Amino acid sequence: MSEVAIRPVRGDDAAAIAAIYAPYVTDSVISFELEAPDAQTIRGRIEKVTAAYPWIVAMSGGRVAGYAYGGLYRERAAYRWTVETTVYVDMACARQGIGRALYAALLEELARRGFVTALGVIALPNAPSVALHEALGFTHAGTQAGVGYKFGGWHDIGIWQRDLAPRLPAPPEPARA
């Protein structure tokens, strides 16, 4: 494995991110999207997410090898200390520690910004993602049965949860962007 460098996402990463994400959409139930978004759509998502949350990429061998970001869990104000996390690694770079490095850096940044809880939502079964989350201190918080329909079948999701900070009686507002 080449040395991995993690940096904030840039708009010109959109094409590489779209290419990494596409097979997860088209060839698996890991993503519940039905059509792979193009680079322009990804660029729009980057702009929307980074207005309030971190999005990072892993560079290996001079190219984007994976990405991770935090995002809105739910819109109600009481949820503002909770963030849903996402991580994807180029399938050609799987099992090389890139996902773990990305996720660790993302969780550190989310904690620095004052978020209290991180949630990973995993389409099941997905043993590699479960193992990654649990290796990083997430615990299983529940399963929702048959909530996604893709490829002719109903699929479960599991919620994995990790505390990023103590639950204070009067928590400071999390820092956005």
Side-chain angles (χ1 to χ4, degrees):
M1 174 177 83
S2 301
E3 188 168 324
V4 175
I6 295 175
R7 64 162 172 78
V9 71
R10 300 187 307 236
D12 63 359
D13 294 324
I17 289 169
I20 289 169
Y21 185 50
Y24 289 99
V25 174
T26 60
D27 304 335
S28 80
V29 296
I30 289 171
S31 168
F32 280 2
E33 288 199 66
L34 301 179
E35 294 183 25
D38 62 15
Q40 182 179 355
T41 301
I42 294 293
R43 185 182 303 269
R45 290 178 186 183
I46 289 169
E47 290 172 8
K48 183 177 179 181
V49 168
T50 58
Y53 300 94
W55 186 321
I56 57 178
V57 298
M59 300 296 295
S60 180
R63 65 184 187 87
V64 176
Y67 64 95
Y69 60 89
L72 181 68
Y73 169 61
R74 296 211 173 174
E75 289 193 26
R76 303 285 191 262
Y79 292 114
R80 67 189 177 274
W81 292 274
T82 300
V83 62
E84 185 174 334
T85 57
T86 300
V87 62
Y88 285 97
V89 174
D90 185 324
M91 289 183 178
C93 301
R95 313 283 309 157
Q96 296 180 19
I98 293 170
R100 178 176 251 201
L102 272 167
Y103 222 153
L106 177 65
L107 294 170
E108 182 178 313
E109 178 62 15
L110 291 167
R112 186 189 70 73
R113 291 187 185 200
F115 291 98
V116 175
T117 305
L119 297 175
V121 180
I122 305 170
L124 299 175
N126 187 341
S129 187
V130 169
L132 174 62
H133 283 80
E134 291 180 352
L136 290 166
F138 285 77
T139 57
H140 184 243
T143 299
Q144 295 176 331
V147 296
Y149 184 83
K150 187 173 179 180
F151 297 149
W154 291 99
H155 303 281
D156 301 349
I157 60 165
I159 312 287
W160 268 257
Q161 180 173 335
R162 177 183 157 164
D163 289 344
L164 301 171
R167 286 177 178 79
L168 302 174
E173 290 294 320
R176 308 289 175 169

